[in-house]
Amino acid sequence: MSNDTYPDFTPAPDDVVWDLPGDGPQRTSLLVLPHAGGNAHAYAEWRQYLPADVRLLIGQYPGRGARFAEDLPRTIADLAGPVVASLPAGTTDDLVVLGHSMGSLVAFEVVRALQAAGRTPRALIASACRAPYLANPCAVYPERLDDDELVAAIKERGGTDDGILDEPELREIIVPSIRADFAIDDVYRCEESEARVDCPLTVIGGDADPVAPAASLERWAQITDHPFASFVLPGGHFYFQQQLPEFFAVLGPVLSPGVSSVAAGRATAGSAA
């Protein structure tokens, strides 16, 4: 997709980062970065599971929603950079950054960018994803697949409404952004010496996830010297969809001000239900 038809198109910050505050004063902001092919709408329901004083922010990637007229992303910087630039004022005072699947890599890059600017978030939460210094063990290779084959691969992972994927007009709209995201996810890898965050880190995954096996989640511990915790919940790559209350019970301590992701040291929680 090209934005030649819209040469002066620049997305509004609130189209890049959705802002869904709760009722009353906001003490903490949770920034959520979607999975490959995902969009902000898919995570809007999280608002109802968060405390009223937690501000929910959701990244919207190029090529979808109000950003449909933009060029499709080609690198992780195309996903992370606009999010960093569009964060509402004051949100980095007490910010927790969370990503799911490829969104965890985007979240990692957002944290690194904020860190470089002297605005390190309070915590990073990675969900269902390999550590950023590892090669992708489950590459999709979208350039080798026709639309039907790509849709089949997406359905196998879950996370996208099959009804949307089976509707020809809707599929024509969303498949290009899915291709673009998977192409980025396939090749992304941060140099091990540069894969560092200066904040506590929590990683969560599903016990039956073939994309990011539970045993691999501990590799995230290497990128921080701060407290680290890992949790494994029942389910596959989109394990949280059937158990959002349990998922948010894991997030609760991380979102509480003044509480690190683990009580002390580098403790690891085996499983939570």
Side-chain angles (χ1 to χ4, degrees), residues 96-148:
V96 175
V97 183
L98 179 152
H100 178 69
S101 192
M102 180 199 72
S104 297
L105 304 176
V106 181
F108 165 73
E109 289 294 347
V110 166
V111 170
R112 286 216 303 163
L114 291 171
Q115 200 169 276
R119 303 158 60 197
T120 303
R122 179 157 60 80
L124 169 62
I125 302 172
S127 170
C129 187
R130 69 189 186 277
Y133 59 89
L134 298 177
N136 190 337
C138 292
V140 175
Y141 303 111
E143 70 279 3
R144 303 179 185 175
L145 307 178
D146 62 27
D147 285 357
D148 288 339

mmCIF file of all heavy atoms in Angstrom, residues 96-148:
data_model
loop_
_atom_site.group_PDB
_atom_site.id
_atom_site.type_symbol
_atom_site.label_atom_id
_atom_site.label_comp_id
_atom_site.label_asym_id
_atom_site.label_seq_id
_atom_site.Cartn_x
_atom_site.Cartn_y
_atom_site.Cartn_z
ATOM 1 N N VAL A 96 3.548 1.467 32.426
ATOM 2 C CA VAL A 96 3.844 0.053 32.239
ATOM 3 C C VAL A 96 3.564 -0.265 30.774
ATOM 4 O O VAL A 96 2.507 0.090 30.246
ATOM 5 C CB VAL A 96 2.978 -0.833 33.156
ATOM 6 C CG1 VAL A 96 3.216 -2.317 32.849
ATOM 7 C CG2 VAL A 96 3.280 -0.531 34.626
ATOM 8 N N VAL A 97 4.509 -0.922 30.103
ATOM 9 C CA VAL A 97 4.374 -1.231 28.679
ATOM 10 C C VAL A 97 4.206 -2.738 28.517
ATOM 11 O O VAL A 97 4.998 -3.522 29.041
ATOM 12 C CB VAL A 97 5.599 -0.747 27.882
ATOM 13 C CG1 VAL A 97 5.399 -1.019 26.392
ATOM 14 C CG2 VAL A 97 5.841 0.738 28.118
ATOM 15 N N LEU A 98 3.169 -3.137 27.793
ATOM 16 C CA LEU A 98 2.850 -4.558 27.603
ATOM 17 C C LEU A 98 2.661 -4.838 26.125
ATOM 18 O O LEU A 98 2.024 -4.067 25.400
ATOM 19 C CB LEU A 98 1.566 -4.913 28.363
ATOM 20 C CG LEU A 98 1.048 -6.354 28.266
ATOM 21 C CD1 LEU A 98 0.256 -6.702 29.535
ATOM 22 C CD2 LEU A 98 0.152 -6.598 27.048
ATOM 23 N N GLY A 99 3.194 -5.951 25.656
ATOM 24 C CA GLY A 99 2.957 -6.387 24.288
ATOM 25 C C GLY A 99 2.558 -7.840 24.263
ATOM 26 O O GLY A 99 2.939 -8.621 25.146
ATOM 27 N N HIS A 100 1.776 -8.201 23.241
ATOM 28 C CA HIS A 100 1.435 -9.610 23.053
ATOM 29 C C HIS A 100 2.000 -10.097 21.737
ATOM 30 O O HIS A 100 1.851 -9.452 20.698
ATOM 31 C CB HIS A 100 -0.075 -9.837 23.080
ATOM 32 C CG HIS A 100 -0.449 -11.267 22.832
ATOM 33 N ND1 HIS A 100 -0.176 -12.265 23.747
ATOM 34 C CD2 HIS A 100 -1.009 -11.894 21.762
ATOM 35 C CE1 HIS A 100 -0.574 -13.436 23.266
ATOM 36 N NE2 HIS A 100 -1.076 -13.229 22.056
ATOM 37 N N SER A 101 2.666 -11.265 21.767
ATOM 38 C CA SER A 101 3.292 -11.869 20.604
ATOM 39 C C SER A 101 4.252 -10.855 19.971
ATOM 40 O O SER A 101 5.094 -10.303 20.674
ATOM 41 C CB SER A 101 2.207 -12.346 19.632
ATOM 42 O OG SER A 101 2.755 -13.185 18.634
ATOM 43 N N MET A 102 4.142 -10.575 18.659
ATOM 44 C CA MET A 102 5.040 -9.587 18.062
ATOM 45 C C MET A 102 4.991 -8.259 18.802
ATOM 46 O O MET A 102 5.985 -7.523 18.862
ATOM 47 C CB MET A 102 4.696 -9.360 16.591
ATOM 48 C CG MET A 102 5.593 -8.345 15.885
ATOM 49 S SD MET A 102 4.891 -7.667 14.356
ATOM 50 C CE MET A 102 3.608 -6.597 15.035
ATOM 51 N N GLY A 103 3.847 -7.954 19.396
ATOM 52 C CA GLY A 103 3.714 -6.718 20.168
ATOM 53 C C GLY A 103 4.685 -6.639 21.326
ATOM 54 O O GLY A 103 5.038 -5.537 21.772
ATOM 55 N N SER A 104 5.159 -7.791 21.818
ATOM 56 C CA SER A 104 6.166 -7.779 22.882
ATOM 57 C C SER A 104 7.484 -7.215 22.376
ATOM 58 O O SER A 104 8.208 -6.538 23.112
ATOM 59 C CB SER A 104 6.388 -9.193 23.427
ATOM 60 O OG SER A 104 5.224 -9.703 24.028
ATOM 61 N N LEU A 105 7.806 -7.499 21.118
ATOM 62 C CA LEU A 105 9.023 -6.949 20.518
ATOM 63 C C LEU A 105 8.867 -5.446 20.288
ATOM 64 O O LEU A 105 9.809 -4.681 20.484
ATOM 65 C CB LEU A 105 9.333 -7.668 19.211
ATOM 66 C CG LEU A 105 9.471 -9.191 19.307
ATOM 67 C CD1 LEU A 105 9.678 -9.802 17.924
ATOM 68 C CD2 LEU A 105 10.612 -9.580 20.247
ATOM 69 N N VAL A 106 7.668 -5.038 19.875
ATOM 70 C CA VAL A 106 7.394 -3.606 19.729
ATOM 71 C C VAL A 106 7.478 -2.932 21.090
ATOM 72 O O VAL A 106 8.070 -1.848 21.237
ATOM 73 C CB VAL A 106 6.006 -3.372 19.095
ATOM 74 C CG1 VAL A 106 5.745 -1.878 18.932
ATOM 75 C CG2 VAL A 106 5.889 -4.079 17.748
ATOM 76 N N ALA A 107 6.914 -3.575 22.110
ATOM 77 C CA ALA A 107 6.969 -3.018 23.465
ATOM 78 C C ALA A 107 8.412 -2.868 23.928
ATOM 79 O O ALA A 107 8.784 -1.857 24.545
ATOM 80 C CB ALA A 107 6.190 -3.921 24.422
ATOM 81 N N PHE A 108 9.236 -3.866 23.658
ATOM 82 C CA PHE A 108 10.649 -3.805 24.003
ATOM 83 C C PHE A 108 11.319 -2.610 23.339
ATOM 84 O O PHE A 108 12.079 -1.869 23.977
ATOM 85 C CB PHE A 108 11.322 -5.116 23.579
ATOM 86 C CG PHE A 108 12.816 -5.079 23.542
ATOM 87 C CD1 PHE A 108 13.559 -5.061 24.714
ATOM 88 C CD2 PHE A 108 13.488 -5.073 22.320
ATOM 89 C CE1 PHE A 108 14.956 -5.030 24.680
ATOM 90 C CE2 PHE A 108 14.874 -5.045 22.273
ATOM 91 C CZ PHE A 108 15.613 -5.018 23.455
ATOM 92 N N GLU A 109 11.031 -2.381 22.058
ATOM 93 C CA GLU A 109 11.630 -1.250 21.352
ATOM 94 C C GLU A 109 11.087 0.083 21.861
ATOM 95 O O GLU A 109 11.822 1.078 21.910
ATOM 96 C CB GLU A 109 11.401 -1.388 19.847
ATOM 97 C CG GLU A 109 12.209 -2.498 19.194
ATOM 98 C CD GLU A 109 13.713 -2.224 19.217
ATOM 99 O OE1 GLU A 109 14.127 -1.094 19.512
ATOM 100 O OE2 GLU A 109 14.487 -3.161 18.927
ATOM 101 N N VAL A 110 9.826 0.128 22.249
ATOM 102 C CA VAL A 110 9.266 1.342 22.846
ATOM 103 C C VAL A 110 9.985 1.659 24.152
ATOM 104 O O VAL A 110 10.363 2.809 24.414
ATOM 105 C CB VAL A 110 7.747 1.187 23.079
ATOM 106 C CG1 VAL A 110 7.215 2.290 24.002
ATOM 107 C CG2 VAL A 110 6.997 1.212 21.746
ATOM 108 N N VAL A 111 10.189 0.639 24.971
ATOM 109 C CA VAL A 111 10.903 0.847 26.243
ATOM 110 C C VAL A 111 12.320 1.322 25.978
ATOM 111 O O VAL A 111 12.808 2.259 26.637
ATOM 112 C CB VAL A 111 10.912 -0.459 27.078
ATOM 113 C CG1 VAL A 111 11.857 -0.314 28.272
ATOM 114 C CG2 VAL A 111 9.507 -0.783 27.558
ATOM 115 N N ARG A 112 12.996 0.719 25.007
ATOM 116 C CA ARG A 112 14.361 1.148 24.698
ATOM 117 C C ARG A 112 14.405 2.604 24.240
ATOM 118 O O ARG A 112 15.312 3.362 24.616
ATOM 119 C CB ARG A 112 14.953 0.253 23.609
ATOM 120 C CG ARG A 112 15.346 -1.121 24.074
ATOM 121 C CD ARG A 112 16.610 -1.615 23.383
ATOM 122 N NE ARG A 112 16.484 -1.624 21.933
ATOM 123 C CZ ARG A 112 17.541 -1.695 21.108
ATOM 124 N NH1 ARG A 112 18.768 -1.765 21.596
ATOM 125 N NH2 ARG A 112 17.364 -1.717 19.797
ATOM 126 N N ALA A 113 13.435 3.008 23.428
ATOM 127 C CA ALA A 113 13.400 4.388 22.941
ATOM 128 C C ALA A 113 13.140 5.367 24.081
ATOM 129 O O ALA A 113 13.779 6.425 24.177
ATOM 130 C CB ALA A 113 12.337 4.532 21.857
ATOM 131 N N LEU A 114 12.206 5.029 24.949
ATOM 132 C CA LEU A 114 11.917 5.898 26.092
ATOM 133 C C LEU A 114 13.112 5.949 27.036
ATOM 134 O O LEU A 114 13.447 7.002 27.595
ATOM 135 C CB LEU A 114 10.662 5.403 26.817
ATOM 136 C CG LEU A 114 9.343 5.570 26.057
ATOM 137 C CD1 LEU A 114 8.214 4.852 26.792
ATOM 138 C CD2 LEU A 114 9.002 7.049 25.879
ATOM 139 N N GLN A 115 13.747 4.814 27.206
ATOM 140 C CA GLN A 115 14.941 4.723 28.043
ATOM 141 C C GLN A 115 16.035 5.649 27.521
ATOM 142 O O GLN A 115 16.679 6.391 28.285
ATOM 143 C CB GLN A 115 15.404 3.269 27.986
ATOM 144 C CG GLN A 115 16.309 2.782 29.069
ATOM 145 C CD GLN A 115 16.443 1.275 28.999
ATOM 146 O OE1 GLN A 115 15.611 0.555 29.530
ATOM 147 N NE2 GLN A 115 17.468 0.784 28.339
ATOM 148 N N ALA A 116 16.255 5.632 26.213
ATOM 149 C CA ALA A 116 17.284 6.476 25.599
ATOM 150 C C ALA A 116 16.974 7.956 25.762
ATOM 151 O O ALA A 116 17.883 8.792 25.784
ATOM 152 C CB ALA A 116 17.414 6.142 24.118
ATOM 153 N N ALA A 117 15.680 8.260 25.909
ATOM 154 C CA ALA A 117 15.263 9.651 26.083
ATOM 155 C C ALA A 117 15.182 10.051 27.555
ATOM 156 O O ALA A 117 14.726 11.143 27.872
ATOM 157 C CB ALA A 117 13.899 9.871 25.422
ATOM 158 N N GLY A 118 15.629 9.153 28.452
ATOM 159 C CA GLY A 118 15.590 9.452 29.878
ATOM 160 C C GLY A 118 14.206 9.351 30.486
ATOM 161 O O GLY A 118 13.925 9.967 31.511
ATOM 162 N N ARG A 119 13.332 8.532 29.868
ATOM 163 C CA ARG A 119 11.950 8.398 30.330
ATOM 164 C C ARG A 119 11.598 6.926 30.545
ATOM 165 O O ARG A 119 10.570 6.447 30.124
ATOM 166 C CB ARG A 119 11.006 9.018 29.310
ATOM 167 C CG ARG A 119 11.281 10.473 29.003
ATOM 168 C CD ARG A 119 10.702 10.880 27.655
ATOM 169 N NE ARG A 119 9.274 10.721 27.565
ATOM 170 C CZ ARG A 119 8.582 10.703 26.410
ATOM 171 N NH1 ARG A 119 9.240 10.795 25.263
ATOM 172 N NH2 ARG A 119 7.279 10.579 26.403
ATOM 173 N N THR A 120 12.464 6.187 31.200
ATOM 174 C CA THR A 120 12.290 4.745 31.355
ATOM 175 C C THR A 120 10.964 4.403 32.023
ATOM 176 O O THR A 120 10.655 4.926 33.102
ATOM 177 C CB THR A 120 13.436 4.149 32.188
ATOM 178 O OG1 THR A 120 14.682 4.474 31.565
ATOM 179 C CG2 THR A 120 13.311 2.638 32.276
ATOM 180 N N PRO A 121 10.155 3.528 31.425
ATOM 181 C CA PRO A 121 8.901 3.101 32.045
ATOM 182 C C PRO A 121 9.150 2.342 33.353
ATOM 183 O O PRO A 121 10.260 1.893 33.624
ATOM 184 C CB PRO A 121 8.278 2.182 30.994
ATOM 185 C CG PRO A 121 8.887 2.625 29.706
ATOM 186 C CD PRO A 121 10.301 3.012 30.060
ATOM 187 N N ARG A 122 8.095 2.184 34.120
ATOM 188 C CA ARG A 122 8.226 1.494 35.406
ATOM 189 C C ARG A 122 8.386 -0.006 35.236
ATOM 190 O O ARG A 122 9.028 -0.671 36.059
ATOM 191 C CB ARG A 122 7.000 1.780 36.292
ATOM 192 C CG ARG A 122 7.059 1.069 37.637
ATOM 193 C CD ARG A 122 6.216 1.748 38.674
ATOM 194 N NE ARG A 122 4.814 1.826 38.315
ATOM 195 C CZ ARG A 122 3.936 0.817 38.438
ATOM 196 N NH1 ARG A 122 4.353 -0.361 38.868
ATOM 197 N NH2 ARG A 122 2.672 0.979 38.123
ATOM 198 N N ALA A 123 7.815 -0.570 34.173
ATOM 199 C CA ALA A 123 7.906 -2.019 33.988
ATOM 200 C C ALA A 123 7.589 -2.379 32.539
ATOM 201 O O ALA A 123 6.895 -1.640 31.827
ATOM 202 C CB ALA A 123 6.948 -2.747 34.921
ATOM 203 N N LEU A 124 8.099 -3.534 32.118
ATOM 204 C CA LEU A 124 7.789 -4.125 30.822
ATOM 205 C C LEU A 124 7.134 -5.476 31.065
ATOM 206 O O LEU A 124 7.587 -6.255 31.906
ATOM 207 C CB LEU A 124 9.070 -4.307 29.999
ATOM 208 C CG LEU A 124 8.972 -5.140 28.711
ATOM 209 C CD1 LEU A 124 8.026 -4.502 27.708
ATOM 210 C CD2 LEU A 124 10.364 -5.344 28.100
ATOM 211 N N ILE A 125 6.068 -5.745 30.316
ATOM 212 C CA ILE A 125 5.395 -7.042 30.378
ATOM 213 C C ILE A 125 5.391 -7.629 28.974
ATOM 214 O O ILE A 125 4.881 -7.011 28.040
ATOM 215 C CB ILE A 125 3.943 -6.925 30.888
ATOM 216 C CG1 ILE A 125 3.903 -6.269 32.272
ATOM 217 C CG2 ILE A 125 3.285 -8.304 30.930
ATOM 218 C CD1 ILE A 125 2.500 -5.948 32.760
ATOM 219 N N ALA A 126 5.974 -8.819 28.819
ATOM 220 C CA ALA A 126 6.007 -9.502 27.528
ATOM 221 C C ALA A 126 5.099 -10.717 27.584
ATOM 222 O O ALA A 126 5.149 -11.491 28.543
ATOM 223 C CB ALA A 126 7.438 -9.919 27.190
ATOM 224 N N SER A 127 4.283 -10.882 26.562
ATOM 225 C CA SER A 127 3.325 -11.989 26.527
ATOM 226 C C SER A 127 3.512 -12.810 25.263
ATOM 227 O O SER A 127 3.527 -12.271 24.147
ATOM 228 C CB SER A 127 1.897 -11.423 26.579
ATOM 229 O OG SER A 127 0.927 -12.428 26.323
ATOM 230 N N ALA A 128 3.672 -14.118 25.439
ATOM 231 C CA ALA A 128 3.667 -15.081 24.331
ATOM 232 C C ALA A 128 4.633 -14.713 23.212
ATOM 233 O O ALA A 128 4.258 -14.633 22.044
ATOM 234 C CB ALA A 128 2.245 -15.237 23.772
ATOM 235 N N CYS A 129 5.882 -14.494 23.562
ATOM 236 C CA CYS A 129 6.862 -14.084 22.558
ATOM 237 C C CYS A 129 8.261 -14.542 22.953
ATOM 238 O O CYS A 129 8.585 -14.637 24.139
ATOM 239 C CB CYS A 129 6.843 -12.559 22.413
ATOM 240 S SG CYS A 129 7.861 -11.931 21.059
ATOM 241 N N ARG A 130 9.077 -14.785 21.939
ATOM 242 C CA ARG A 130 10.492 -15.095 22.172
ATOM 243 C C ARG A 130 11.203 -13.864 22.712
ATOM 244 O O ARG A 130 10.753 -12.731 22.517
ATOM 245 C CB ARG A 130 11.143 -15.506 20.850
ATOM 246 C CG ARG A 130 11.266 -14.344 19.849
ATOM 247 C CD ARG A 130 11.700 -14.837 18.488
ATOM 248 N NE ARG A 130 11.968 -13.756 17.547
ATOM 249 C CZ ARG A 130 11.046 -13.141 16.835
ATOM 250 N NH1 ARG A 130 9.764 -13.461 16.970
ATOM 251 N NH2 ARG A 130 11.384 -12.187 15.975
ATOM 252 N N ALA A 131 12.332 -14.068 23.381
ATOM 253 C CA ALA A 131 13.159 -12.942 23.814
ATOM 254 C C ALA A 131 13.701 -12.223 22.583
ATOM 255 O O ALA A 131 13.954 -12.841 21.543
ATOM 256 C CB ALA A 131 14.308 -13.449 24.687
ATOM 257 N N PRO A 132 13.890 -10.904 22.656
ATOM 258 C CA PRO A 132 14.224 -10.120 21.461
ATOM 259 C C PRO A 132 15.572 -10.421 20.828
ATOM 260 O O PRO A 132 15.788 -10.076 19.665
ATOM 261 C CB PRO A 132 14.163 -8.675 21.961
ATOM 262 C CG PRO A 132 14.312 -8.764 23.440
ATOM 263 C CD PRO A 132 13.683 -10.054 23.838
ATOM 264 N N TYR A 133 16.487 -11.061 21.546
ATOM 265 C CA TYR A 133 17.795 -11.375 20.974
ATOM 266 C C TYR A 133 17.804 -12.733 20.282
ATOM 267 O O TYR A 133 18.838 -13.147 19.742
ATOM 268 C CB TYR A 133 18.882 -11.326 22.050
ATOM 269 C CG TYR A 133 18.665 -12.279 23.206
ATOM 270 C CD1 TYR A 133 19.158 -13.578 23.159
ATOM 271 C CD2 TYR A 133 17.980 -11.880 24.353
ATOM 272 C CE1 TYR A 133 18.962 -14.461 24.212
ATOM 273 C CE2 TYR A 133 17.788 -12.747 25.422
ATOM 274 C CZ TYR A 133 18.275 -14.039 25.343
ATOM 275 O OH TYR A 133 18.073 -14.888 26.393
ATOM 276 N N LEU A 134 16.668 -13.419 20.263
ATOM 277 C CA LEU A 134 16.574 -14.737 19.635
ATOM 278 C C LEU A 134 15.974 -14.635 18.236
ATOM 279 O O LEU A 134 15.102 -13.799 17.976
ATOM 280 C CB LEU A 134 15.698 -15.663 20.479
ATOM 281 C CG LEU A 134 16.185 -15.974 21.897
ATOM 282 C CD1 LEU A 134 15.179 -16.838 22.623
ATOM 283 C CD2 LEU A 134 17.557 -16.650 21.859
ATOM 284 N N ALA A 135 16.424 -15.501 17.338
ATOM 285 C CA ALA A 135 15.813 -15.579 16.023
ATOM 286 C C ALA A 135 14.405 -16.156 16.146
ATOM 287 O O ALA A 135 14.108 -16.909 17.076
ATOM 288 C CB ALA A 135 16.667 -16.457 15.102
ATOM 289 N N ASN A 136 13.552 -15.809 15.220
ATOM 290 C CA ASN A 136 12.172 -16.295 15.237
ATOM 291 C C ASN A 136 12.140 -17.793 14.925
ATOM 292 O O ASN A 136 12.512 -18.206 13.819
ATOM 293 C CB ASN A 136 11.345 -15.526 14.206
ATOM 294 C CG ASN A 136 9.860 -15.804 14.330
ATOM 295 O OD1 ASN A 136 9.452 -16.824 14.848
ATOM 296 N ND2 ASN A 136 9.048 -14.885 13.841
ATOM 297 N N PRO A 137 11.696 -18.621 15.883
ATOM 298 C CA PRO A 137 11.676 -20.068 15.639
ATOM 299 C C PRO A 137 10.435 -20.522 14.885
ATOM 300 O O PRO A 137 10.346 -21.674 14.476
ATOM 301 C CB PRO A 137 11.685 -20.652 17.060
ATOM 302 C CG PRO A 137 10.929 -19.628 17.857
ATOM 303 C CD PRO A 137 11.279 -18.296 17.257
ATOM 304 N N CYS A 138 9.471 -19.617 14.704
ATOM 305 C CA CYS A 138 8.204 -19.965 14.042
ATOM 306 C C CYS A 138 7.889 -18.966 12.939
ATOM 307 O O CYS A 138 6.786 -18.413 12.880
ATOM 308 C CB CYS A 138 7.067 -20.013 15.056
ATOM 309 S SG CYS A 138 7.188 -21.353 16.251
ATOM 310 N N ALA A 139 8.856 -18.702 12.086
ATOM 311 C CA ALA A 139 8.654 -17.738 11.003
ATOM 312 C C ALA A 139 7.514 -18.192 10.097
ATOM 313 O O ALA A 139 7.332 -19.384 9.844
ATOM 314 C CB ALA A 139 9.936 -17.568 10.204
ATOM 315 N N VAL A 140 6.742 -17.218 9.599
ATOM 316 C CA VAL A 140 5.586 -17.501 8.753
ATOM 317 C C VAL A 140 5.945 -17.442 7.269
ATOM 318 O O VAL A 140 5.354 -18.139 6.457
ATOM 319 C CB VAL A 140 4.452 -16.498 9.064
ATOM 320 C CG1 VAL A 140 3.269 -16.688 8.122
ATOM 321 C CG2 VAL A 140 3.998 -16.649 10.514
ATOM 322 N N TYR A 141 6.935 -16.630 6.893
ATOM 323 C CA TYR A 141 7.340 -16.409 5.508
ATOM 324 C C TYR A 141 6.142 -16.020 4.636
ATOM 325 O O TYR A 141 5.787 -16.719 3.676
ATOM 326 C CB TYR A 141 8.026 -17.655 4.929
ATOM 327 C CG TYR A 141 9.221 -18.112 5.718
ATOM 328 C CD1 TYR A 141 9.198 -19.303 6.442
ATOM 329 C CD2 TYR A 141 10.385 -17.333 5.751
ATOM 330 C CE1 TYR A 141 10.301 -19.721 7.174
ATOM 331 C CE2 TYR A 141 11.498 -17.748 6.489
ATOM 332 C CZ TYR A 141 11.442 -18.935 7.202
ATOM 333 O OH TYR A 141 12.529 -19.356 7.931
ATOM 334 N N PRO A 142 5.485 -14.900 4.945
ATOM 335 C CA PRO A 142 4.276 -14.526 4.194
ATOM 336 C C PRO A 142 4.524 -14.306 2.710
ATOM 337 O O PRO A 142 3.607 -14.462 1.897
ATOM 338 C CB PRO A 142 3.833 -13.222 4.884
ATOM 339 C CG PRO A 142 5.065 -12.684 5.523
ATOM 340 C CD PRO A 142 5.838 -13.896 5.955
ATOM 341 N N GLU A 143 5.753 -13.956 2.351
ATOM 342 C CA GLU A 143 6.062 -13.724 0.943
ATOM 343 C C GLU A 143 5.970 -15.007 0.118
ATOM 344 O O GLU A 143 5.869 -14.969 -1.118
ATOM 345 C CB GLU A 143 7.458 -13.101 0.797
ATOM 346 C CG GLU A 143 8.621 -14.000 1.123
ATOM 347 C CD GLU A 143 8.923 -14.130 2.616
ATOM 348 O OE1 GLU A 143 8.167 -13.546 3.426
ATOM 349 O OE2 GLU A 143 9.910 -14.812 2.960
ATOM 350 N N ARG A 144 5.993 -16.159 0.781
ATOM 351 C CA ARG A 144 5.903 -17.438 0.078
ATOM 352 C C ARG A 144 4.462 -17.959 -0.003
ATOM 353 O O ARG A 144 4.216 -18.988 -0.631
ATOM 354 C CB ARG A 144 6.755 -18.492 0.786
ATOM 355 C CG ARG A 144 8.221 -18.130 0.942
ATOM 356 C CD ARG A 144 8.952 -19.243 1.689
ATOM 357 N NE ARG A 144 10.335 -18.887 1.974
ATOM 358 C CZ ARG A 144 11.168 -19.642 2.693
ATOM 359 N NH1 ARG A 144 10.749 -20.819 3.161
ATOM 360 N NH2 ARG A 144 12.408 -19.235 2.931
ATOM 361 N N LEU A 145 3.538 -17.269 0.670
ATOM 362 C CA LEU A 145 2.164 -17.766 0.783
ATOM 363 C C LEU A 145 1.195 -16.919 -0.024
ATOM 364 O O LEU A 145 1.303 -15.689 -0.039
ATOM 365 C CB LEU A 145 1.731 -17.765 2.251
ATOM 366 C CG LEU A 145 2.640 -18.486 3.258
ATOM 367 C CD1 LEU A 145 2.081 -18.330 4.668
ATOM 368 C CD2 LEU A 145 2.787 -19.954 2.892
ATOM 369 N N ASP A 146 0.234 -17.578 -0.666
ATOM 370 C CA ASP A 146 -0.849 -16.808 -1.260
ATOM 371 C C ASP A 146 -1.838 -16.446 -0.149
ATOM 372 O O ASP A 146 -1.657 -16.854 1.019
ATOM 373 C CB ASP A 146 -1.526 -17.569 -2.403
ATOM 374 C CG ASP A 146 -2.196 -18.878 -1.974
ATOM 375 O OD1 ASP A 146 -2.606 -19.001 -0.806
ATOM 376 O OD2 ASP A 146 -2.323 -19.780 -2.829
ATOM 377 N N ASP A 147 -2.880 -15.696 -0.480
ATOM 378 C CA ASP A 147 -3.789 -15.213 0.562
ATOM 379 C C ASP A 147 -4.455 -16.354 1.317
ATOM 380 O O ASP A 147 -4.590 -16.301 2.549
ATOM 381 C CB ASP A 147 -4.855 -14.296 -0.047
ATOM 382 C CG ASP A 147 -4.320 -12.920 -0.395
ATOM 383 O OD1 ASP A 147 -3.128 -12.657 -0.103
ATOM 384 O OD2 ASP A 147 -5.090 -12.113 -0.957
ATOM 385 N N ASP A 148 -4.879 -17.388 0.613
ATOM 386 C CA ASP A 148 -5.547 -18.511 1.278
ATOM 387 C C ASP A 148 -4.606 -19.218 2.250
ATOM 388 O O ASP A 148 -4.999 -19.587 3.369
ATOM 389 C CB ASP A 148 -6.062 -19.518 0.246
ATOM 390 C CG ASP A 148 -7.260 -18.992 -0.530
ATOM 391 O OD1 ASP A 148 -7.930 -18.061 -0.041
ATOM 392 O OD2 ASP A 148 -7.515 -19.505 -1.641
#
